[in-house]
Amino acid sequence: MDILRIILVILHFVGLSMLLGGFLVQVKAIGQGKGTVVRAMIDGALTQLVTGLLLVATIQLGDLGDVNNAKIAVKLVVAVVITVLVFVYRKKVPAPSWALWTIGGLTLANVIVAVAWR
């Protein structure tokens, strides 16, 4: 079970880098009102959501430690909002700047919650 958890953590980080990287590479375009939801953001959001759920299930089912349910609930809500925004605006060219800034900001907020909330 521990190997599965490690693999899921790595995939979770890959999803994070895809989502945040897809946002960061087009910050200038977003500022000019020409930003879009790129494929990496879609794949990253889905990867984050699926691996996050699987990580919690693996930890609880494998008895690998305690899970802070409040923290996980906050992270899940944020991940769902990000995923919804990504899917709603994936075909709009250009996507509204507020939606892209929200995706980037919520992604960063989810990282902060993951690291800072014990």
Side-chain angles (χ1 to χ4, degrees):
M1 252 330 176
D2 198 40
I3 292 174
L4 176 60
R5 184 190 59 81
I6 291 168
I7 292 169
L8 287 172
V9 168
I10 291 167
L11 291 174
H12 200 64
F13 286 146
V14 169
L16 169 66
S17 64
M18 292 168 65
L19 183 56
L20 195 56
F23 167 76
L24 290 175
V25 297
Q26 56 178 339
V27 167
K28 185 175 180 181
I30 295 169
Q32 296 171 347
K34 300 176 185 176
T36 60
V37 173
V38 295
R39 182 66 197 201
M41 293 169 73
I42 297 166
D43 294 342
L46 286 175
T47 302
Q48 284 269 276
L49 190 59
V50 171
T51 57
L53 290 171
L54 290 174
L55 271 167
V56 172
T58 302
I59 291 168
Q60 287 186 334
L61 292 175
D63 202 23
L64 299 174
D66 293 330
V67 176
N68 183 338
N69 290 322
K71 174 182 174 178
I72 297 303
V74 169
K75 288 183 59 56
L76 178 61
V77 168
V78 172
V80 168
V81 171
I82 290 169
T83 305
V84 167
L85 285 171
V86 164
F87 271 92
V88 167
Y89 294 106
R90 73 185 186 277
K91 292 186 179 178
K92 298 198 180 190
V93 178
S97 292
W98 69 265
L100 295 169
W101 287 113
T102 303
I103 290 167
L106 287 175
T107 301
L108 185 58
N110 234 2
V111 171
I112 293 168
V113 168
V115 173
W117 189 345
R118 298 248 171 204

